[in-house]
Amino acid sequence: MDINTFLNTYGYTKEFNLAVADELKSFPDKIPEEEFKKRKCLFDWKIVTIDGDDSKDFDDAVSIKKLKNGKFELGVHIADVSHYVTEGSALDAEAYNRGTSVYLVDNVVPMLPEKLSNDLCSLVPHKPRLTLSCLMKIDPQGNVEEYKIFESAIKSCARLTYHRVSQVLEGNMSARNEYGDFIEMFENMRELALILRDKRMRRGAIDFDFPEPYFELDEGGNVVDVRARELSISNKIIEEFMLAANETVAKHCVKHGIPSVYRVHEDPDPEKVQKLVNLVNVFGHRLKVGDKVSPKAMQSLLFRVDGTNAQTVLSTAMLRAMMKARYCEDNLGHFGLAAEYYCHFTSPIRRYPDLLVHRILKEWLKGNLDEWSITHYNKITRRGAEQSSETEAQATMAERDYDDFMCAEYMEDKIGQEFTGVISSVTDFGFFVELPNTVEGLVRMVDLSDDYYDFNEDSMILAGRRTGRIFCMGQQVKVTLAKVNTQLKQIDFVLTELTAQETPKEVKHKVGKQRSKHSKKGRKKKHRSK
């Protein structure tokens, strides 16, 4: 695939216009000393960044202290992009239009030029950088008792990776010897992250465990391996710390009436919830629904089906029943996180909403939010939320589209090979099978030549009229790769055989009742394999 053709399809370009280039020329290569005098300098703090092996832009850094009373002092220090990208500038207009960075397998379309994203704003080790800090005092139960938000300057003392931090925490002696000065820090991080996660789970946060693909490329950019991306303890540490900061900042904005852009996730649509309830019943479980479903009820269901045949089916159906998260100028809460307050504050290098939150917070810190400014920023946050939601949706589509192409390219030379996978989705034209490495392909209805199959939308199953054979999500099957079309990004499988894993008895029972009912009243949907 020609990358430029792909980018043009979505209207993306890596290049920035001349007005942006001219503004970049005005930025000095080093931050002037007088700027540090306006901020709280944390140069002597033990602050680190933890990112992926191939990351180039570091917009978040963390510090932690365990206090004598058992409480923790967690610092989340975020690149102060708003110092450079000011309202009304060409840089701001371009960042607004892009809305987000787009991360493809072997390419990045950045929201900001490299001079900012990989240099002046990036929290590279041992170099002074401007930041906005959220310093939280957290008790042993995970409650943020006190916090401070302030303009700061830091010098990261190490650029760490998820892989190496996890090795230290897992007892790898080579890693522990290399990072001996950080062992206590890492262990405090793990302890606090587990406390924060436990608090989230207790209040009903929903954690889906859907694997994402990781592509290994050769020097020519060709895919040599695809596997499920592993999330280690260090990934979870940073995730919990960023969530804590985002919630704290959102609550602060609501408390003080500061205009902001919130990350909202509204309650599921009642009609979709009812369909979910019906499907849950098919598998012999119950989903407690009163006037509306609660995150705790959904979380409880996920725990009950964990490790069962129903897990894939019900977790996928649950996700589809939910609303899509979006940006909004009003704080509507976050259903999936079971959070009353939530915003995005921690990634201003790659997300425009975070940049807006920083910009307005700094105005509040300086005491500049008068009545006119609040009216002004209310308009800006409304437009910014709408634009950011749209650009995020497009970026997600582009990233998935590119992943699909890379998967198809990887499978192109494997036609005729047999694989074992799990049915990930069932439709009226066939079913999709996902392999352990996350590659997904379609078994078409027309290739199921042994029977007539009826599609039941409520149960999400295909049922054979004559044989009684059933295909449902979560079922393990063996398939043979029949066809790959890289241009259309399509992978076609043909069914080899069912594995020893049986169809859940509850589904068989439900289908038996439905078949009996159909025999009396006639079937509504008929599909014949050719």
Side-chain angles (χ1 to χ4, degrees), residues 328-375:
C328 183
E329 71 277 12
D330 298 319
N331 176 51
L332 304 178
H334 197 293
F335 182 87
L337 293 172
E340 186 177 356
Y341 311 95
Y342 196 66
C343 73
H344 277 167
F345 162 80
T346 54
S347 296
I349 287 178
R350 64 182 181 89
R351 292 189 305 227
Y352 192 75
D354 306 52
L355 172 57
L356 274 183
V357 170
H358 278 224
R359 184 178 293 158
I360 301 169
L361 264 178
K362 285 174 62 178
E363 290 299 298
W364 180 83
L365 289 170
K366 295 172 183 176
N368 294 338
L369 277 188
D370 55 20
E371 187 176 342
W372 181 91
S373 298
I374 289 174
T375 301

Side-chain angles (χ1 to χ4, degrees), residues 305-438:
V305 302
D306 185 40
T308 69
N309 289 344
Q311 181 179 3
T312 301
V313 186
L314 297 184
S315 56
T316 301
M318 192 180 295
L319 182 64
R320 290 172 179 169
M322 291 186 180
M323 303 287 279
K324 289 185 178 180
R326 64 184 179 92
Y327 295 104
C328 183
E329 71 277 12
D330 298 319
N331 176 51
L332 304 178
H334 197 293
F335 182 87
L337 293 172
E340 186 177 356
Y341 311 95
Y342 196 66
C343 73
H344 277 167
F345 162 80
T346 54
S347 296
I349 287 178
R350 64 182 181 89
R351 292 189 305 227
Y352 192 75
D354 306 52
L355 172 57
L356 274 183
V357 170
H358 278 224
R359 184 178 293 158
I360 301 169
L361 264 178
K362 285 174 62 178
E363 290 299 298
W364 180 83
L365 289 170
K366 295 172 183 176
N368 294 338
L369 277 188
D370 55 20
E371 187 176 342
W372 181 91
S373 298
I374 289 174
T375 301
H376 171 69
Y377 282 122
N378 279 334
K379 293 178 182 178
I380 286 178
T381 53
R382 183 167 58 253
R383 291 198 303 267
E386 291 175 358
Q387 168 73 358
S388 296
S389 295
E390 291 173 4
T391 53
E392 179 196 38
Q394 182 177 349
T396 299
M397 190 185 303
E399 289 166 355
R400 288 176 179 169
D401 202 18
Y402 200 74
D403 282 357
D404 288 345
F405 165 76
M406 297 299 265
C407 285
E409 185 182 63
Y410 172 70
M411 297 294 285
E412 197 171 18
D413 63 352
K414 297 171 178 58
I415 291 174
Q417 293 185 25
E418 187 177 74
F419 302 90
T420 299
V422 172
I423 296 178
S424 56
S425 182
V426 181
T427 73
D428 59 358
F429 54 83
F431 55 84
F432 288 90
V433 176
E434 184 176 307
L435 307 185
N437 63 359
T438 76

Side-chain angles (χ1 to χ4, degrees), residues 41 47 113 118 166 172 184-185 196 204 231 250 297 311 471 488 497:
C41 282
I47 298 174
N118 291 4
S166 294
N172 181 291
E184 183 180 359
M185 181 185 203
L196 292 172
L231 294 181
Q311 181 179 3
F471 297 106
L488 297 178
E497 62 177 88

Side-chain angles (χ1 to χ4, degrees), residues 67-352:
L67 308 177
K68 292 181 180 180
N69 56 9
K71 298 178 182 179
F72 296 86
E73 184 183 78
L74 171 65
V76 175
H77 314 279
I78 308 299
D80 186 3
V81 177
S82 63
H83 177 77
Y84 300 95
V85 184
T86 56
E87 184 179 340
S89 64
L91 272 166
D92 186 46
E94 187 68 10
Y96 172 86
N97 288 333
R98 296 184 179 221
T100 181
S101 295
V102 184
Y103 293 92
L104 307 177
V105 175
D106 52 355
N107 279 272
V108 177
V109 183
M111 185 180 80
L112 298 173
E114 190 172 308
K115 183 172 182 178
L116 293 181
S117 60
N118 291 4
D119 185 10
L120 290 176
C121 293
S122 186
L123 307 181
V124 293
H126 312 302
K127 288 190 177 182
R129 288 292 183 260
L130 305 180
T131 46
L132 200 58
S133 294
C134 180
L135 191 64
M136 296 160 279
K137 186 176 289 185
I138 304 175
D139 70 17
Q141 290 72 47
N143 302 305
V144 178
E145 292 188 336
E146 302 173 26
Y147 68 89
K148 295 178 182 177
I149 300 170
F150 55 92
E151 291 181 279
S152 55
I154 70 165
K155 279 185 186 176
S156 166
C157 59
R159 180 271 199 263
L160 306 171
T161 65
Y162 294 126
H163 177 66
R164 292 299 273 170
V165 173
S166 294
Q167 284 186 325
V168 171
L169 291 173
E170 290 163 1
N172 181 291
M173 291 310 300
S174 172
R176 291 178 77 86
N177 288 334
E178 182 179 356
Y179 295 105
D181 293 340
F182 296 95
I183 291 176
E184 183 180 359
M185 181 185 203
F186 296 164
E187 290 176 344
N188 287 337
M189 285 180 175
R190 175 171 58 187
E191 183 180 357
L192 177 57
L194 292 175
I195 289 172
L196 292 172
R197 177 176 171 78
D198 181 64
K199 183 193 174 188
R200 277 202 306 119
M201 293 298 105
R202 280 188 281 110
R203 77 187 184 196
I206 302 169
D207 258 8
F208 292 109
D209 190 21
F210 295 116
E212 295 182 358
Y214 174 80
F215 297 91
E216 184 179 332
L217 309 179
D218 62 18
E219 293 182 357
N222 303 302
V223 185
V224 295
D225 191 22
V226 182
R227 57 183 180 272
R229 187 183 296 274
E230 295 181 6
L231 294 181
S232 61
I233 180 61
S234 55
N235 292 90
K236 295 174 182 177
I237 286 172
I238 295 303
E239 178 186 21
E240 293 300 333
F241 291 176
M242 297 305 114
L243 289 173
N246 286 336
E247 287 189 45
T248 299
V249 169
K251 187 174 182 178
H252 175 82
C253 290
V254 172
K255 178 182 177 181
H256 294 280
I258 302 170
S260 189
V261 177
Y262 297 94
R263 181 67 169 178
V264 303
H265 189 215
E266 293 147 287
D267 291 346
D269 178 81
E271 193 173 314
K272 291 184 177 180
V273 171
Q274 189 54 53
K275 288 184 178 180
L276 175 63
V277 169
N278 295 339
L279 182 61
V280 170
N281 291 342
V282 169
F283 282 85
H285 294 278
R286 293 291 180 268
L287 176 61
K288 186 178 179 181
V289 179
D291 294 336
K292 61 180 183 179
V293 68
S294 69
K296 191 75 174 175
M298 285 195 166
Q299 181 207 64
S300 176
L301 175 63
L302 281 180
F303 285 154
R304 293 199 305 274
V305 302
D306 185 40
T308 69
N309 289 344
Q311 181 179 3
T312 301
V313 186
L314 297 184
S315 56
T316 301
M318 192 180 295
L319 182 64
R320 290 172 179 169
M322 291 186 180
M323 303 287 279
K324 289 185 178 180
R326 64 184 179 92
Y327 295 104
C328 183
E329 71 277 12
D330 298 319
N331 176 51
L332 304 178
H334 197 293
F335 182 87
L337 293 172
E340 186 177 356
Y341 311 95
Y342 196 66
C343 73
H344 277 167
F345 162 80
T346 54
S347 296
I349 287 178
R350 64 182 181 89
R351 292 189 305 227
Y352 192 75

Side-chain angles (χ1 to χ4, degrees), residues 429 443-449 528-530:
F429 54 83
V443 175
R444 298 180 182 275
M445 184 80 80
V446 294
D447 292 325
L448 297 174
S449 57
R528 179 173 180 175
S529 302
K530 296 180 181 178

